[in-house]
Amino acid sequence: MNKDLELRGDCQIFICTGFEALKASRQIIHRFSKGRPSYIFWFGGDRGQDEIDEPFTHLFEFKTAAQGMSYGELLQDFSRILGENSEKFKDADIFIPHPYHFAANYFLNKPNIAGLYLLPDGMINYSHRKLTLVEKLKSLAKLIYGWIYHVHYYPCVRSLHITRYEDLPYVATFTFEPRRLVTTAGSVFVLDDIINKNDYVSEPGRILFLDQEITEIFSKDLAYAIRMAAFSFMENLNANEIYYKPHPKGQNRINLLRSIIPEAILLEKKGAVENIIGELRVEKCVSFYSTALLVLRRMTTVETISILPSAPPNHTAEFVEGIAKSFDEHGIIVLRVKTQPIS
C-alpha cells in the first residue's frame, strides 16, 4: 500500500453502499486518519457480524428498500442527521463510490471540501459502466426529491463513466486489485486483503450462489432468463449442497431457486461473503458480475463462475464485455448463456 497520502481535512466522510467500500474505508481510517474523526454512512443493507471498531469512527446506518425503507424516508433520515451534525461535517475529506448515489452527490457538491477520493465499488471500477437512460431519468427525479427533503442533488446526465473519474477532481483512487482497473483518477492506492489463500479448505460438491439485482442494467425479462439459466447450470452440476445468498440490498429468491433445485439451502448468515466463506467451505461460487467473485478468486481457492448473456442489449454490451474480459484475466470462469437479445 502506498505510504505518501496526507489527508487534508479535519475529518473524513465515507459513503459506503457495499462491503468492498466498507472494507476499504476501515483500512483507510486505520492507516491515514491519524486520530481525526471519521464518519461512515452505510447504505449496504445488513452488515451481519461486520463490526466497526476503529477508534474515533462514527457509523450512520440506513435501512434499504429491501428492509422496508422508502426513498423519501431515507432522505428524511439523512436530512435529520445532516441537521444534527452540520458543524462536524465541515472541512472534510469525502470518500465516495460514485456521484450517482444521493449522499455522495450531496457531499461532493458542498463548498470547501478538503479532498475527494474514490472508493472501490465492485466491477464498475473494471468496466466502462455508464448511466443507462433509466438511471439518467432517475437522476432527474432525485433532483425533485432533493428539493422536497432539503438534500440538494445535482443530476448526472452526461455520458461519462458512472464514477465520473474522467472529470471529477479525485485526489486518489483506492482498490484491492489494480489489474485492469479502469477508474484510475489521481494517485492509485492498493489496499490489502486479509485472508490467506493457502488456508482455505473446501468440501467437494458444495456450491454457493450469490444473487444480484441485475435489473439495474438488464430488463426484467432478460434478467429472469439469465437467472434461470444460472439455476439450470447449477442443477446440472449434481452438487451435494447448494447454498443461496440473497444480495444484502435485494430480494430473496430462494423459492424461485427451489422450483429448479428443491433442496437448495437459504444462507441465513449476513455480511460480506469473505467473512463467512471459511465456514461454508464451498468448492464453487456462481454469480453474475458480483465483485465477490473477484474477492473470492483473490483470497481463496474457490472455483468462481460468472453467468453472463451471450448477446447483451446494445446499451449494456460495453459493460458486459468489459466484465467478461476482466473476469477472464483474473481466472474467473465466464459462461455466456444464450438469451433473446433485447435492444
Side-chain angles (χ1 to χ4, degrees):
M1 188 173 183
N2 307 55
K3 299 180 179 180
D4 56 349
L5 178 64
E6 188 68 35
L7 297 179
R8 307 168 181 175
D10 293 335
C11 67
Q12 288 81 52
I13 292 174
F14 298 84
I15 307 301
C16 298
T17 58
F19 287 109
E20 191 175 36
L22 182 63
K23 183 168 68 170
S25 299
R26 295 172 69 175
Q27 288 197 32
I28 295 166
I29 292 169
H30 181 76
R31 180 68 179 84
F32 297 116
S33 68
K34 298 181 179 178
R36 285 170 289 196
S38 297
Y39 304 95
I40 296 177
F41 289 74
W42 172 245
F43 299 93
D46 197 325
R47 291 183 295 110
Q49 300 302 311
D50 197 344
E51 297 298 330
I52 308 298
D53 52 9
E54 293 294 336
F56 309 106
T57 300
H58 309 269
L59 176 69
F60 300 107
E61 195 161 7
F62 299 83
K63 290 183 178 181
T64 66
Q67 295 170 315
M69 177 73 81
S70 71
Y71 188 64
E73 291 171 328
L74 183 61
L75 287 180
Q76 193 171 31
D77 200 18
F78 182 72
S79 180
R80 175 185 58 79
I81 290 172
L82 293 178
E84 294 173 353
N85 299 274
S86 59
E87 291 300 315
K88 298 177 183 177
F89 297 155
K90 291 182 177 180
D91 191 34
D93 293 298
I94 309 298
F95 296 77
I96 67 171
H98 57 76
Y100 180 65
H101 190 276
F102 79 88
N105 188 288
Y106 174 84
F107 279 116
L108 78 86
N109 286 295
K110 293 290 287 181
N112 303 319
I113 66 172
L116 182 64
Y117 301 82
L118 185 60
L119 291 173
D121 189 40
M123 295 312 299
I124 69 170
N125 301 117
Y126 300 91
S127 62
H128 297 281
R129 171 72 161 89
K130 298 178 181 179
L131 290 179
T132 64
L133 176 59
V134 171
E135 287 172 328
K136 289 179 180 179
L137 293 175
K138 285 183 178 179
S139 184
L140 293 173
K142 289 178 181 180
L143 171 66
I144 298 172
Y145 271 98
W147 285 338
I148 296 172
Y149 292 97
H150 309 291
V151 180
H152 297 300
Y153 187 89
Y154 295 81
C156 304
V157 295
R158 298 176 62 190
S159 295
L160 298 172
H161 192 277
I162 192 171
T163 64
R164 286 182 57 192
Y165 74 95
E166 306 100 322
D167 72 326
L168 286 180
Y170 291 109
V171 177
T173 298
F174 293 91
T175 182
F176 290 98
E177 176 53 78
R179 288 180 296 169
R180 290 193 64 84
L181 182 68
V182 170
T183 54
T184 53
S187 302
V188 175
F189 286 77
V190 181
L191 301 168
D192 302 318
D193 285 323
I194 298 172
I195 295 177
N196 186 339
K197 188 170 186 174
N198 296 324
D199 292 340
Y200 186 77
V201 178
S202 65
E203 287 284 343
R206 283 188 182 178
I207 297 174
L208 171 63
F209 178 72
L210 299 175
D211 206 354
Q212 285 183 270
E213 297 307 303
I214 57 177
T215 51
E216 64 180 1
I217 62 169
F218 300 128
S219 69
K220 288 184 179 180
D221 289 344
L222 182 56
Y224 178 83
I226 297 168
R227 183 171 283 108
M228 296 306 287
F231 292 171
S232 296
F233 166 74
M234 291 190 294
E235 180 188 25
N236 293 329
L237 292 177
N238 296 316
N240 297 326
E241 295 175 89
I242 294 181
Y243 294 93
Y244 171 85
K245 186 177 187 298
H247 192 275
K249 295 183 288 184
Q251 297 181 34
N252 183 339
R253 299 182 179 88
I254 185 63
N255 290 334
L256 183 62
L257 175 56
R258 284 175 177 163
S259 70
I260 304 296
I261 308 172
E263 64 275 14
I265 302 166
L266 174 62
L267 192 60
E268 300 289 352
K269 288 185 175 294
K270 310 294 184 181
V273 66
E274 60 264 35
N275 294 340
I276 60 177
I277 196 69
E279 183 179 339
L280 290 177
R281 299 170 66 181
V282 297
E283 180 184 26
K284 294 179 173 66
C285 180
V286 180
S287 190
F288 305 109
Y289 49 87
S290 172
T291 317
L293 294 176
L294 192 60
V295 172
L296 294 180
R297 183 64 184 166
R298 289 198 311 262
M299 301 170 66
T300 72
T301 56
V302 173
E303 183 179 302
T304 48
I305 302 167
S306 166
I307 308 293
L308 295 173
S310 59
N314 292 336
H315 70 279
T316 65
E318 188 177 20
F319 172 71
V320 171
E321 297 308 322
I323 293 294
K325 289 180 181 178
S326 181
F327 275 172
D328 184 66
E329 182 170 312
H330 288 97
I332 296 169
I333 299 170
V334 179
L335 297 181
R336 307 299 291 265
V337 296
K338 292 183 178 180
T339 54
Q340 183 68 30
I342 301 174
S343 298

PDB file of all heavy atoms in Angstrom, residues 222-250:
ATOM      1  N   LEU A 222     -35.090 -10.152 -19.428  1.00  0.00           N
ATOM      2  CA  LEU A 222     -33.743 -10.675 -19.672  1.00  0.00           C
ATOM      3  C   LEU A 222     -33.089 -11.113 -18.368  1.00  0.00           C
ATOM      4  O   LEU A 222     -32.427 -12.162 -18.310  1.00  0.00           O
ATOM      5  CB  LEU A 222     -32.888  -9.622 -20.374  1.00  0.00           C
ATOM      6  CG  LEU A 222     -31.462 -10.048 -20.738  1.00  0.00           C
ATOM      7  CD1 LEU A 222     -31.475 -11.307 -21.592  1.00  0.00           C
ATOM      8  CD2 LEU A 222     -30.724  -8.918 -21.452  1.00  0.00           C
ATOM      9  N   ALA A 223     -33.280 -10.334 -17.313  1.00  0.00           N
ATOM     10  CA  ALA A 223     -32.718 -10.703 -16.008  1.00  0.00           C
ATOM     11  C   ALA A 223     -33.270 -12.048 -15.549  1.00  0.00           C
ATOM     12  O   ALA A 223     -32.534 -12.894 -15.022  1.00  0.00           O
ATOM     13  CB  ALA A 223     -33.021  -9.622 -14.979  1.00  0.00           C
ATOM     14  N   TYR A 224     -34.571 -12.251 -15.746  1.00  0.00           N
ATOM     15  CA  TYR A 224     -35.189 -13.525 -15.363  1.00  0.00           C
ATOM     16  C   TYR A 224     -34.584 -14.678 -16.170  1.00  0.00           C
ATOM     17  O   TYR A 224     -34.267 -15.749 -15.618  1.00  0.00           O
ATOM     18  CB  TYR A 224     -36.697 -13.459 -15.596  1.00  0.00           C
ATOM     19  CG  TYR A 224     -37.429 -14.738 -15.269  1.00  0.00           C
ATOM     20  CD1 TYR A 224     -37.799 -15.037 -13.960  1.00  0.00           C
ATOM     21  CD2 TYR A 224     -37.758 -15.651 -16.277  1.00  0.00           C
ATOM     22  CE1 TYR A 224     -38.469 -16.212 -13.652  1.00  0.00           C
ATOM     23  CE2 TYR A 224     -38.424 -16.833 -15.980  1.00  0.00           C
ATOM     24  CZ  TYR A 224     -38.781 -17.102 -14.669  1.00  0.00           C
ATOM     25  OH  TYR A 224     -39.431 -18.277 -14.374  1.00  0.00           O
ATOM     26  N   ALA A 225     -34.391 -14.466 -17.461  1.00  0.00           N
ATOM     27  CA  ALA A 225     -33.833 -15.514 -18.316  1.00  0.00           C
ATOM     28  C   ALA A 225     -32.397 -15.863 -17.906  1.00  0.00           C
ATOM     29  O   ALA A 225     -32.022 -17.043 -17.867  1.00  0.00           O
ATOM     30  CB  ALA A 225     -33.873 -15.072 -19.778  1.00  0.00           C
ATOM     31  N   ILE A 226     -31.613 -14.855 -17.587  1.00  0.00           N
ATOM     32  CA  ILE A 226     -30.225 -15.098 -17.174  1.00  0.00           C
ATOM     33  C   ILE A 226     -30.188 -15.833 -15.843  1.00  0.00           C
ATOM     34  O   ILE A 226     -29.410 -16.779 -15.638  1.00  0.00           O
ATOM     35  CB  ILE A 226     -29.457 -13.759 -17.077  1.00  0.00           C
ATOM     36  CG1 ILE A 226     -29.384 -13.074 -18.444  1.00  0.00           C
ATOM     37  CG2 ILE A 226     -28.044 -13.984 -16.526  1.00  0.00           C
ATOM     38  CD1 ILE A 226     -28.900 -11.639 -18.377  1.00  0.00           C
ATOM     39  N   ARG A 227     -31.049 -15.408 -14.912  1.00  0.00           N
ATOM     40  CA  ARG A 227     -31.083 -16.043 -13.585  1.00  0.00           C
ATOM     41  C   ARG A 227     -31.506 -17.515 -13.692  1.00  0.00           C
ATOM     42  O   ARG A 227     -30.915 -18.386 -13.056  1.00  0.00           O
ATOM     43  CB  ARG A 227     -32.008 -15.263 -12.661  1.00  0.00           C
ATOM     44  CG  ARG A 227     -32.061 -15.809 -11.241  1.00  0.00           C
ATOM     45  CD  ARG A 227     -32.806 -14.881 -10.306  1.00  0.00           C
ATOM     46  NE  ARG A 227     -31.990 -13.738  -9.915  1.00  0.00           N
ATOM     47  CZ  ARG A 227     -32.174 -12.502 -10.342  1.00  0.00           C
ATOM     48  NH1 ARG A 227     -33.144 -12.225 -11.183  1.00  0.00           N
ATOM     49  NH2 ARG A 227     -31.388 -11.522  -9.929  1.00  0.00           N
ATOM     50  N   MET A 228     -32.517 -17.797 -14.505  1.00  0.00           N
ATOM     51  CA  MET A 228     -32.966 -19.177 -14.669  1.00  0.00           C
ATOM     52  C   MET A 228     -31.906 -20.023 -15.360  1.00  0.00           C
ATOM     53  O   MET A 228     -31.761 -21.225 -15.068  1.00  0.00           O
ATOM     54  CB  MET A 228     -34.280 -19.217 -15.450  1.00  0.00           C
ATOM     55  CG  MET A 228     -35.450 -18.545 -14.735  1.00  0.00           C
ATOM     56  SD  MET A 228     -35.740 -19.171 -13.052  1.00  0.00           S
ATOM     57  CE  MET A 228     -36.441 -20.778 -13.423  1.00  0.00           C
ATOM     58  N   ALA A 229     -31.144 -19.421 -16.262  1.00  0.00           N
ATOM     59  CA  ALA A 229     -30.035 -20.145 -16.896  1.00  0.00           C
ATOM     60  C   ALA A 229     -28.973 -20.505 -15.863  1.00  0.00           C
ATOM     61  O   ALA A 229     -28.391 -21.602 -15.912  1.00  0.00           O
ATOM     62  CB  ALA A 229     -29.427 -19.293 -18.013  1.00  0.00           C
ATOM     63  N   ALA A 230     -28.728 -19.597 -14.912  1.00  0.00           N
ATOM     64  CA  ALA A 230     -27.770 -19.882 -13.839  1.00  0.00           C
ATOM     65  C   ALA A 230     -28.276 -21.027 -12.967  1.00  0.00           C
ATOM     66  O   ALA A 230     -27.505 -21.925 -12.574  1.00  0.00           O
ATOM     67  CB  ALA A 230     -27.539 -18.634 -12.996  1.00  0.00           C
ATOM     68  N   PHE A 231     -29.566 -21.027 -12.657  1.00  0.00           N
ATOM     69  CA  PHE A 231     -30.140 -22.098 -11.844  1.00  0.00           C
ATOM     70  C   PHE A 231     -30.034 -23.449 -12.563  1.00  0.00           C
ATOM     71  O   PHE A 231     -29.707 -24.472 -11.954  1.00  0.00           O
ATOM     72  CB  PHE A 231     -31.604 -21.801 -11.526  1.00  0.00           C
ATOM     73  CG  PHE A 231     -31.820 -20.630 -10.604  1.00  0.00           C
ATOM     74  CD1 PHE A 231     -33.093 -20.130 -10.382  1.00  0.00           C
ATOM     75  CD2 PHE A 231     -30.750 -20.008  -9.964  1.00  0.00           C
ATOM     76  CE1 PHE A 231     -33.303 -19.056  -9.532  1.00  0.00           C
ATOM     77  CE2 PHE A 231     -30.949 -18.925  -9.117  1.00  0.00           C
ATOM     78  CZ  PHE A 231     -32.225 -18.448  -8.905  1.00  0.00           C
ATOM     79  N   SER A 232     -30.313 -23.455 -13.857  1.00  0.00           N
ATOM     80  CA  SER A 232     -30.226 -24.696 -14.625  1.00  0.00           C
ATOM     81  C   SER A 232     -28.791 -25.201 -14.689  1.00  0.00           C
ATOM     82  O   SER A 232     -28.543 -26.412 -14.627  1.00  0.00           O
ATOM     83  CB  SER A 232     -30.768 -24.470 -16.045  1.00  0.00           C
ATOM     84  OG  SER A 232     -32.139 -24.141 -16.020  1.00  0.00           O
ATOM     85  N   PHE A 233     -27.857 -24.276 -14.820  1.00  0.00           N
ATOM     86  CA  PHE A 233     -26.447 -24.662 -14.824  1.00  0.00           C
ATOM     87  C   PHE A 233     -26.071 -25.360 -13.520  1.00  0.00           C
ATOM     88  O   PHE A 233     -25.428 -26.416 -13.525  1.00  0.00           O
ATOM     89  CB  PHE A 233     -25.574 -23.420 -15.038  1.00  0.00           C
ATOM     90  CG  PHE A 233     -24.123 -23.639 -14.736  1.00  0.00           C
ATOM     91  CD1 PHE A 233     -23.318 -24.369 -15.590  1.00  0.00           C
ATOM     92  CD2 PHE A 233     -23.553 -23.120 -13.571  1.00  0.00           C
ATOM     93  CE1 PHE A 233     -21.972 -24.580 -15.304  1.00  0.00           C
ATOM     94  CE2 PHE A 233     -22.218 -23.326 -13.272  1.00  0.00           C
ATOM     95  CZ  PHE A 233     -21.423 -24.058 -14.142  1.00  0.00           C
ATOM     96  N   MET A 234     -26.493 -24.804 -12.388  1.00  0.00           N
ATOM     97  CA  MET A 234     -26.173 -25.416 -11.103  1.00  0.00           C
ATOM     98  C   MET A 234     -26.875 -26.756 -10.934  1.00  0.00           C
ATOM     99  O   MET A 234     -26.309 -27.693 -10.349  1.00  0.00           O
ATOM    100  CB  MET A 234     -26.543 -24.459  -9.962  1.00  0.00           C
ATOM    101  CG  MET A 234     -25.660 -23.227  -9.879  1.00  0.00           C
ATOM    102  SD  MET A 234     -25.927 -22.258  -8.381  1.00  0.00           S
ATOM    103  CE  MET A 234     -27.603 -21.674  -8.638  1.00  0.00           C
ATOM    104  N   GLU A 235     -28.082 -26.876 -11.463  1.00  0.00           N
ATOM    105  CA  GLU A 235     -28.803 -28.143 -11.378  1.00  0.00           C
ATOM    106  C   GLU A 235     -28.017 -29.265 -12.058  1.00  0.00           C
ATOM    107  O   GLU A 235     -27.968 -30.401 -11.572  1.00  0.00           O
ATOM    108  CB  GLU A 235     -30.172 -27.995 -12.031  1.00  0.00           C
ATOM    109  CG  GLU A 235     -31.016 -29.265 -11.990  1.00  0.00           C
ATOM    110  CD  GLU A 235     -32.286 -29.133 -12.804  1.00  0.00           C
ATOM    111  OE1 GLU A 235     -32.312 -28.310 -13.745  1.00  0.00           O
ATOM    112  OE2 GLU A 235     -33.243 -29.856 -12.490  1.00  0.00           O
ATOM    113  N   ASN A 236     -27.367 -28.931 -13.158  1.00  0.00           N
ATOM    114  CA  ASN A 236     -26.621 -29.933 -13.920  1.00  0.00           C
ATOM    115  C   ASN A 236     -25.266 -30.285 -13.310  1.00  0.00           C
ATOM    116  O   ASN A 236     -24.590 -31.194 -13.787  1.00  0.00           O
ATOM    117  CB  ASN A 236     -26.423 -29.444 -15.363  1.00  0.00           C
ATOM    118  CG  ASN A 236     -27.733 -29.366 -16.125  1.00  0.00           C
ATOM    119  OD1 ASN A 236     -28.646 -30.146 -15.871  1.00  0.00           O
ATOM    120  ND2 ASN A 236     -27.833 -28.415 -17.044  1.00  0.00           N
ATOM    121  N   LEU A 237     -24.876 -29.573 -12.269  1.00  0.00           N
ATOM    122  CA  LEU A 237     -23.603 -29.873 -11.609  1.00  0.00           C
ATOM    123  C   LEU A 237     -23.706 -31.066 -10.656  1.00  0.00           C
ATOM    124  O   LEU A 237     -22.686 -31.583 -10.197  1.00  0.00           O
ATOM    125  CB  LEU A 237     -23.109 -28.640 -10.832  1.00  0.00           C
ATOM    126  CG  LEU A 237     -22.677 -27.436 -11.676  1.00  0.00           C
ATOM    127  CD1 LEU A 237     -22.287 -26.269 -10.760  1.00  0.00           C
ATOM    128  CD2 LEU A 237     -21.516 -27.789 -12.601  1.00  0.00           C
ATOM    129  N   ASN A 238     -24.932 -31.481 -10.346  1.00  0.00           N
ATOM    130  CA  ASN A 238     -25.146 -32.613  -9.431  1.00  0.00           C
ATOM    131  C   ASN A 238     -24.406 -32.415  -8.106  1.00  0.00           C
ATOM    132  O   ASN A 238     -23.701 -33.304  -7.618  1.00  0.00           O
ATOM    133  CB  ASN A 238     -24.709 -33.927 -10.083  1.00  0.00           C
ATOM    134  CG  ASN A 238     -25.561 -34.263 -11.305  1.00  0.00           C
ATOM    135  OD1 ASN A 238     -26.785 -34.130 -11.265  1.00  0.00           O
ATOM    136  ND2 ASN A 238     -24.908 -34.673 -12.394  1.00  0.00           N
ATOM    137  N   ALA A 239     -24.576 -31.235  -7.533  1.00  0.00           N
ATOM    138  CA  ALA A 239     -23.871 -30.899  -6.286  1.00  0.00           C
ATOM    139  C   ALA A 239     -24.511 -31.594  -5.093  1.00  0.00           C
ATOM    140  O   ALA A 239     -25.683 -31.977  -5.119  1.00  0.00           O
ATOM    141  CB  ALA A 239     -23.894 -29.389  -6.079  1.00  0.00           C
ATOM    142  N   ASN A 240     -23.731 -31.740  -4.034  1.00  0.00           N
ATOM    143  CA  ASN A 240     -24.247 -32.299  -2.783  1.00  0.00           C
ATOM    144  C   ASN A 240     -25.063 -31.259  -2.012  1.00  0.00           C
ATOM    145  O   ASN A 240     -26.093 -31.575  -1.420  1.00  0.00           O
ATOM    146  CB  ASN A 240     -23.094 -32.791  -1.905  1.00  0.00           C
ATOM    147  CG  ASN A 240     -22.316 -33.912  -2.560  1.00  0.00           C
ATOM    148  OD1 ASN A 240     -22.882 -34.730  -3.280  1.00  0.00           O
ATOM    149  ND2 ASN A 240     -21.007 -33.948  -2.325  1.00  0.00           N
ATOM    150  N   GLU A 241     -24.587 -30.014  -2.014  1.00  0.00           N
ATOM    151  CA  GLU A 241     -25.258 -28.927  -1.298  1.00  0.00           C
ATOM    152  C   GLU A 241     -25.145 -27.654  -2.121  1.00  0.00           C
ATOM    153  O   GLU A 241     -24.067 -27.333  -2.628  1.00  0.00           O
ATOM    154  CB  GLU A 241     -24.634 -28.693   0.079  1.00  0.00           C
ATOM    155  CG  GLU A 241     -24.800 -29.842   1.058  1.00  0.00           C
ATOM    156  CD  GLU A 241     -24.053 -29.568   2.359  1.00  0.00           C
ATOM    157  OE1 GLU A 241     -24.644 -28.969   3.270  1.00  0.00           O
ATOM    158  OE2 GLU A 241     -22.875 -29.950   2.440  1.00  0.00           O
ATOM    159  N   ILE A 242     -26.246 -26.924  -2.243  1.00  0.00           N
ATOM    160  CA  ILE A 242     -26.237 -25.633  -2.928  1.00  0.00           C
ATOM    161  C   ILE A 242     -26.789 -24.588  -1.963  1.00  0.00           C
ATOM    162  O   ILE A 242     -27.938 -24.689  -1.508  1.00  0.00           O
ATOM    163  CB  ILE A 242     -27.072 -25.671  -4.216  1.00  0.00           C
ATOM    164  CG1 ILE A 242     -26.415 -26.606  -5.238  1.00  0.00           C
ATOM    165  CG2 ILE A 242     -27.218 -24.261  -4.803  1.00  0.00           C
ATOM    166  CD1 ILE A 242     -27.150 -26.705  -6.560  1.00  0.00           C
ATOM    167  N   TYR A 243     -25.967 -23.613  -1.645  1.00  0.00           N
ATOM    168  CA  TYR A 243     -26.354 -22.533  -0.743  1.00  0.00           C
ATOM    169  C   TYR A 243     -26.759 -21.307  -1.565  1.00  0.00           C
ATOM    170  O   TYR A 243     -26.118 -20.975  -2.567  1.00  0.00           O
ATOM    171  CB  TYR A 243     -25.195 -22.159   0.181  1.00  0.00           C
ATOM    172  CG  TYR A 243     -24.811 -23.237   1.159  1.00  0.00           C
ATOM    173  CD1 TYR A 243     -23.799 -24.152   0.839  1.00  0.00           C
ATOM    174  CD2 TYR A 243     -25.446 -23.349   2.393  1.00  0.00           C
ATOM    175  CE1 TYR A 243     -23.438 -25.154   1.729  1.00  0.00           C
ATOM    176  CE2 TYR A 243     -25.090 -24.342   3.291  1.00  0.00           C
ATOM    177  CZ  TYR A 243     -24.085 -25.244   2.954  1.00  0.00           C
ATOM    178  OH  TYR A 243     -23.748 -26.238   3.824  1.00  0.00           O
ATOM    179  N   TYR A 244     -27.796 -20.643  -1.106  1.00  0.00           N
ATOM    180  CA  TYR A 244     -28.274 -19.430  -1.776  1.00  0.00           C
ATOM    181  C   TYR A 244     -28.110 -18.239  -0.838  1.00  0.00           C
ATOM    182  O   TYR A 244     -28.596 -18.247   0.295  1.00  0.00           O
ATOM    183  CB  TYR A 244     -29.751 -19.576  -2.155  1.00  0.00           C
ATOM    184  CG  TYR A 244     -30.379 -18.292  -2.659  1.00  0.00           C
ATOM    185  CD1 TYR A 244     -30.267 -17.926  -3.997  1.00  0.00           C
ATOM    186  CD2 TYR A 244     -31.080 -17.449  -1.803  1.00  0.00           C
ATOM    187  CE1 TYR A 244     -30.846 -16.752  -4.466  1.00  0.00           C
ATOM    188  CE2 TYR A 244     -31.654 -16.273  -2.253  1.00  0.00           C
ATOM    189  CZ  TYR A 244     -31.530 -15.923  -3.586  1.00  0.00           C
ATOM    190  OH  TYR A 244     -32.091 -14.749  -4.040  1.00  0.00           O
ATOM    191  N   LYS A 245     -27.414 -17.199  -1.319  1.00  0.00           N
ATOM    192  CA  LYS A 245     -27.224 -15.980  -0.525  1.00  0.00           C
ATOM    193  C   LYS A 245     -27.833 -14.799  -1.298  1.00  0.00           C
ATOM    194  O   LYS A 245     -27.317 -14.417  -2.350  1.00  0.00           O
ATOM    195  CB  LYS A 245     -25.745 -15.711  -0.256  1.00  0.00           C
ATOM    196  CG  LYS A 245     -25.486 -14.537   0.697  1.00  0.00           C
ATOM    197  CD  LYS A 245     -23.995 -14.382   0.956  1.00  0.00           C
ATOM    198  CE  LYS A 245     -23.731 -13.335   2.046  1.00  0.00           C
ATOM    199  NZ  LYS A 245     -24.209 -11.983   1.683  1.00  0.00           N
ATOM    200  N   PRO A 246     -28.935 -14.238  -0.794  1.00  0.00           N
ATOM    201  CA  PRO A 246     -29.511 -13.065  -1.468  1.00  0.00           C
ATOM    202  C   PRO A 246     -28.587 -11.857  -1.334  1.00  0.00           C
ATOM    203  O   PRO A 246     -27.757 -11.789  -0.420  1.00  0.00           O
ATOM    204  CB  PRO A 246     -30.828 -12.843  -0.733  1.00  0.00           C
ATOM    205  CG  PRO A 246     -30.634 -13.471   0.614  1.00  0.00           C
ATOM    206  CD  PRO A 246     -29.680 -14.615   0.416  1.00  0.00           C
ATOM    207  N   HIS A 247     -28.741 -10.927  -2.244  1.00  0.00           N
ATOM    208  CA  HIS A 247     -27.960  -9.696  -2.149  1.00  0.00           C
ATOM    209  C   HIS A 247     -28.422  -8.921  -0.913  1.00  0.00           C
ATOM    210  O   HIS A 247     -29.615  -8.895  -0.597  1.00  0.00           O
ATOM    211  CB  HIS A 247     -28.161  -8.848  -3.407  1.00  0.00           C
ATOM    212  CG  HIS A 247     -27.200  -7.719  -3.525  1.00  0.00           C
ATOM    213  ND1 HIS A 247     -27.416  -6.502  -2.910  1.00  0.00           N
ATOM    214  CD2 HIS A 247     -26.008  -7.610  -4.161  1.00  0.00           C
ATOM    215  CE1 HIS A 247     -26.402  -5.694  -3.184  1.00  0.00           C
ATOM    216  NE2 HIS A 247     -25.533  -6.333  -3.932  1.00  0.00           N
ATOM    217  N   PRO A 248     -27.490  -8.272  -0.196  1.00  0.00           N
ATOM    218  CA  PRO A 248     -27.871  -7.541   1.027  1.00  0.00           C
ATOM    219  C   PRO A 248     -28.939  -6.481   0.802  1.00  0.00           C
ATOM    220  O   PRO A 248     -29.704  -6.164   1.705  1.00  0.00           O
ATOM    221  CB  PRO A 248     -26.554  -6.905   1.481  1.00  0.00           C
ATOM    222  CG  PRO A 248     -25.485  -7.753   0.887  1.00  0.00           C
ATOM    223  CD  PRO A 248     -26.030  -8.256  -0.416  1.00  0.00           C
ATOM    224  N   LYS A 249     -28.993  -5.937  -0.407  1.00  0.00           N
ATOM    225  CA  LYS A 249     -29.982  -4.899  -0.699  1.00  0.00           C
ATOM    226  C   LYS A 249     -31.056  -5.390  -1.671  1.00  0.00           C
ATOM    227  O   LYS A 249     -31.762  -4.573  -2.263  1.00  0.00           O
ATOM    228  CB  LYS A 249     -29.285  -3.657  -1.281  1.00  0.00           C
ATOM    229  CG  LYS A 249     -28.349  -2.963  -0.315  1.00  0.00           C
ATOM    230  CD  LYS A 249     -27.757  -1.704  -0.908  1.00  0.00           C
ATOM    231  CE  LYS A 249     -26.741  -1.996  -1.982  1.00  0.00           C
ATOM    232  NZ  LYS A 249     -26.084  -0.771  -2.499  1.00  0.00           N
ATOM    233  N   GLY A 250     -31.169  -6.704  -1.836  1.00  0.00           N
ATOM    234  CA  GLY A 250     -32.060  -7.230  -2.855  1.00  0.00           C
ATOM    235  C   GLY A 250     -33.113  -8.191  -2.345  1.00  0.00           C
ATOM    236  O   GLY A 250     -33.278  -8.400  -1.138  1.00  0.00           O
TER     237      GLY A 250
END
